[in-house]
Amino acid sequence: MVATKAQLVKVINFGFIVIQAAIASIFFALLALNLLISSQFVISIVIVIAAVLMFFIIARFKRVLITKVNESFEPIQAIEEWADKNNNESIISPNTANYSVAVAIAKLQQQLLTESTENSSFDMLLREKALLDGETGIGNREYFNNRLEALLKEEGAHGAVLFFHFKECDIIQSLHGKQQALVLLTTLIHTIQHRLTHLPSYFIARRNEFEIALLIPDIYVKETEKLASRLVKNLMSVPLPIGISNDEFVHIGISFFQCNAKSYQVMSEADMALRSAQLQGPSQWFMYDKDEVEQAKGSLKWRTLLTKIIDNNAFVIFFQPVIEQDTNKILHHEVLAKIRDTEGKLLNARVFMPMVHKCGFTVKVDLLIVEQVCKLLTHELQEEGCSLNLSIESLLSIQFIDKFKVILNKYPNVASKIIIEISEYHLVHNLPLLKPVMDFFKAQGMSLLSDKVGQYVVSSQYLKECPISSIKLHRSIVLNIHNKPENQTVVQSLKAICKPLNINIYALGIECEEEWRILKKLGVNGGQGHFFTKPVVQVVKAIH
């Protein structure tokens, strides 16, 4: 970048030399012409003065232009110098320049080096800068795109994308100022979030100045329609400034999707639906009828199917390996459970677990899978361990813990081979309740893994308070990471926190060599995904 700046300054200097030479030639020609034709001394003096003034103006303009070029390159140069220094951690030093970007970098450097106990705040700051909207605190466009792209890669994924537009906000901004419009937008966002409290998960982001995007996984069309109607009603009840009508205030466009769809197609359909809702005038929602056949069954049919599977312990267990980054050896396997529907088709956990929760079978299902894995580890004499993703309902259930103890007593030699995966979101929001549960697992000799790290923007302070031995990056951080500097920054900040705590970092959902290459460069300890399926296909098996 320094060379680029020097080259640009050189070009500017050369250009001004050419301009000055041309102007000098013109004035010399005028002076010579005056002496040959009229020989008037006054005109000659005027020509000379004009030439001097012109050269002064040009020289001044050149200095200003070069100064502006230098100033524009200073923040970028500071970032490069900071990055170069970071190649050797021992020589990082605060940058004392007085421009804003360099000052911000200096503060981050100082915080990282001198306040090691506050590294989680540094990590949180980086995550917020990369993925959150600075004015509203919700996700930004990149955050939304990452989550949607990652969700579409998951087997059995389905859900809805909703685009909200608040028509009168731009008028409110013109009449009452930006701050008043922002206060109203924040109120509208809180109204949406309040309506969504019953959902197990959702992702909300600011799409444009007065447009909000909402991603809801594992929701079906009929549920989405009911939710959209309630959202319109709730948003229309938000008080507006005098003179602003709510009749055409809120419009919602909805796109329903299933796995393997293209993210741009899903968003295009939602955008088209939003425009259709706006064209129809009054506040309302709109969704195109795509004639899709839903996998959703009635609650009674799901209960009947799940009861039969639980009674017969008919869960199908698959293993997916986690690969060590240096040796390509298998570190452990993640346990993936599936069931067969009435037609014999395999359904993954993303499809059936929401209904397991709805029917109140979560603890039963988790216990059956735990026992099946313990039996496998005992009889197969497998060297590598297994990671089990347990639901928050089971982890906080006394009944589950008591029966877990019984299973461990039945299979006494497997505890050291079990890794318990707990969602990062639940670790952050239920930490006091989970601490005794984690202490129990550790006392039994099991390891703990924080799962879906990076799916939500939360503080990593919990890593210092929990006996976590490893974390697993969510696929939204991993997907196309070689083309996403902001995601690379998130991994770097996590590495800075995890390294002194001896916490390993694994990456989920690796699909190509470019992703694996940059993840290894960033210091990730292991990876998991379809990229590794072929070389370890003999290890991945189903136990019926």
Side-chain angles (χ1 to χ4, degrees):
M1 189 61 69
V2 174
T4 303
K5 183 181 74 171
Q7 290 169 358
L8 184 57
V9 171
K10 187 176 180 180
V11 169
I12 292 172
N13 283 326
F14 179 76
F16 274 96
I17 289 172
V18 172
I19 293 171
Q20 288 172 333
I23 292 174
S25 298
I26 293 172
F27 278 110
F28 276 123
L30 291 173
L31 188 60
L33 188 63
N34 176 63
L35 294 174
L36 290 173
I37 296 176
S38 61
S39 299
Q40 293 187 14
F41 180 73
V42 175
I43 294 177
S44 298
I45 293 297
V46 170
I47 293 173
V48 170
I49 293 173
V52 172
L53 287 173
M54 183 64 71
F55 275 101
F56 176 78
I57 293 170
I58 291 172
R60 174 81 179 195
F61 181 70
K62 184 179 77 170
R63 284 197 301 272
V64 171
L65 183 60
I66 291 176
T67 300
K68 292 294 183 182
V69 169
N70 288 331
E71 288 177 353
S72 66
F73 274 88
E74 279 178 346
I76 300 174
Q77 185 176 343
I79 293 174
E80 288 185 336
E81 291 173 354
W82 176 71
D84 290 339
K85 290 179 181 180
N86 270 282
N87 288 331
N88 184 344
E89 295 179 3
S90 64
I91 60 171
I92 300 177
S93 58
N95 193 318
T96 56
N98 60 2
Y99 40 86
S100 59
V101 174
V103 169
I105 291 173
K107 289 179 179 178
L108 293 178
Q109 290 176 349
Q110 197 66 28
Q111 186 174 5
L112 183 60
L113 289 176
T114 64
E115 300 178 18
S116 58
T117 59
E118 299 297 329
N119 277 349
S120 58
S121 300
F122 175 72
D123 168 64
M124 186 68 176
L125 176 62
L126 287 177
R127 291 206 214 182
E128 289 178 351
K129 294 296 183 184
L131 299 172
L132 295 188
D133 175 64
E135 293 182 323
T136 61
I138 62 174
N140 57 21
R141 182 185 285 267
E142 192 64 32
Y143 170 88
F144 184 84
N145 292 346
N146 285 351
R147 271 62 189 170
L148 177 59
E149 289 173 3
L151 182 60
L152 293 173
K153 294 286 185 179
E154 296 186 20
E155 184 182 358
H158 65 274
V161 166
L162 290 77
F163 284 171
F164 297 74
H165 179 76
F166 305 109
K167 181 180 178 182
E168 307 297 340
C169 279
D170 51 349
I171 298 176
I172 294 171
Q173 180 168 293
S174 299
L175 295 176
H176 303 282
K178 182 176 181 179
Q179 187 59 36
Q180 183 70 22
L182 184 59
V183 169
L184 175 59
L185 181 63
T186 303
T187 302
L188 294 167
I189 291 169
H190 290 162
T191 302
I192 295 172
Q193 292 173 320
H194 181 72
R195 171 48 66 186
L196 302 176
T197 51
H198 68 287
L199 296 176
S201 67
Y202 65 88
F203 306 96
I204 188 169
R206 190 178 185 182
R207 184 168 175 251
N208 289 316
E209 189 171 21
F210 299 120
E211 286 190 11
I212 300 299
L214 178 63
L215 170 61
I216 308 178
D218 307 323
I219 191 171
Y220 292 102
V221 172
K222 289 183 179 179
E223 296 174 86
T224 306
E225 291 174 347
K226 292 179 182 178
L227 177 62
S229 297
R230 291 169 182 161
L231 282 167
V232 170
K233 183 178 180 181
N234 293 149
L235 292 168
M236 287 181 68
S237 67
V238 173
L240 301 177
I242 296 174
I244 303 296
S245 172
N246 64 3
D247 292 341
E248 298 183 11
F249 176 63
V250 56
H251 297 95
I252 306 174
I254 306 171
S255 174
F256 183 76
F257 63 85
Q258 292 181 329
C259 66
N260 296 323
K262 300 296 184 183
S263 60
Y264 70 87
Q265 291 177 335
V266 175
M267 290 191 286
S268 294
E269 289 173 6
D271 192 64
M272 288 170 58
L274 175 61
R275 305 311 161 198
S276 296
Q278 291 172 315
L279 287 172
Q280 294 184 37
S283 295
Q284 61 183 287
W285 61 267
F286 184 88
M287 177 171 62
Y288 287 107
D289 182 9
K290 298 168 64 177
D291 296 323
E292 292 183 343
V293 179
E294 293 189 355
Q295 293 184 10
K297 309 174 188 294
S299 295
L300 181 60
K301 289 184 178 180
W302 267 115
R303 181 176 289 275
T304 303
L305 173 65
L306 292 171
T307 300
K308 182 179 179 181
I309 289 170
I310 291 170
D311 290 343
N312 296 315
N313 195 7
F315 292 94
V316 184
I317 304 297
F318 285 86
F319 281 177
Q320 186 174 39
V322 176
I323 306 300
E324 206 274 332
Q325 68 108 342
D326 287 330
T327 63
N328 285 336
K329 291 182 179 179
I330 297 174
L331 295 169
H332 66 270
H333 301 270
E334 181 179 357
V335 174
L336 306 172
K338 297 188 179 185
I339 65 172
R340 296 188 183 276
D341 64 12
T342 53
E343 299 176 356
K345 181 181 177 182
L346 280 172
L347 304 177
N348 65 31
R350 173 168 285 282
V351 176
F352 72 80
M353 280 306 292
M355 299 311 300
V356 167
H357 173 72
K358 190 173 183 179
C359 294
F361 295 154
T362 304
V363 171
K364 286 184 179 180
V365 169
D366 279 348
L367 286 169
L368 285 172
I369 294 172
V370 166
E371 183 160 13
Q372 202 165 341
V373 170
C374 288
K375 187 184 297 184
L376 171 71
L377 291 173
T378 300
H379 297 299
E380 294 288 328
L381 299 177
Q382 185 168 301
E383 294 182 6
E384 300 91 6
C386 293
S387 64
L388 288 162
N389 197 317
L390 299 178
S391 65
I392 189 65
E393 291 87 355
S394 295
L395 291 169
L396 299 181
S397 166
I398 297 176
Q399 176 193 8
F400 175 83
I401 298 300
D402 289 341
K403 291 188 175 182
F404 201 128
K405 293 177 183 177
V406 174
I407 294 173
L408 291 176
N409 290 332
K410 187 177 179 181
Y411 303 96
N413 300 319
V414 302
S416 61
K417 294 183 179 180
I418 294 177
I419 303 169
I420 303 297
E421 296 191 11
I422 307 175
S423 166
E424 179 186 55
Y425 178 85
H426 293 305
L427 280 171
V428 171
H429 291 88
N430 298 282
L431 186 56
L433 296 174
L434 286 172
K435 275 188 175 181
V437 180
M438 289 188 286
D439 290 340
F440 161 73
F441 289 139
K442 290 295 291 185
Q444 300 299 316
M446 290 177 270
S447 301
L448 296 171
L449 182 150
S450 177
D451 190 28
K452 300 178 182 177
V453 172
Q455 183 180 27
Y456 299 92
V457 181
V458 296
S459 171
S460 54
Q461 178 65 27
Y462 72 93
L463 291 173
K464 299 172 184 177
E465 303 177 22
C466 302
I468 298 292
S469 60
S470 53
I471 67 173
K472 187 182 292 184
L473 301 174
H474 187 256
R475 66 176 67 243
S476 62
I477 300 297
V478 175
L479 185 63
N480 294 324
I481 191 170
H482 51 290
N483 295 323
K484 296 179 178 178
E486 65 280 358
N487 287 6
Q488 295 175 30
T489 301
V490 171
V491 177
Q492 287 174 324
S493 69
L494 283 169
K495 185 66 177 179
I497 294 169
C498 291
K499 187 175 181 179
L501 297 173
N502 294 317
I503 296 175
N504 291 321
I505 302 178
Y506 305 133
L508 173 67
I510 300 172
E511 297 194 350
C512 65
E513 186 175 355
E514 290 80 4
E515 292 173 348
W516 184 224
R517 177 180 55 80
I518 196 68
L519 285 164
K520 289 195 292 184
K521 188 176 180 181
L522 292 170
V524 167
N525 302 100
Q528 174 184 348
H530 294 307
F531 176 65
F532 305 106
T533 301
K534 189 173 181 180
V536 292
V537 65
Q538 71 277 7
V539 181
V540 181
K541 50 189 174 181
I543 298 88
H544 295 267

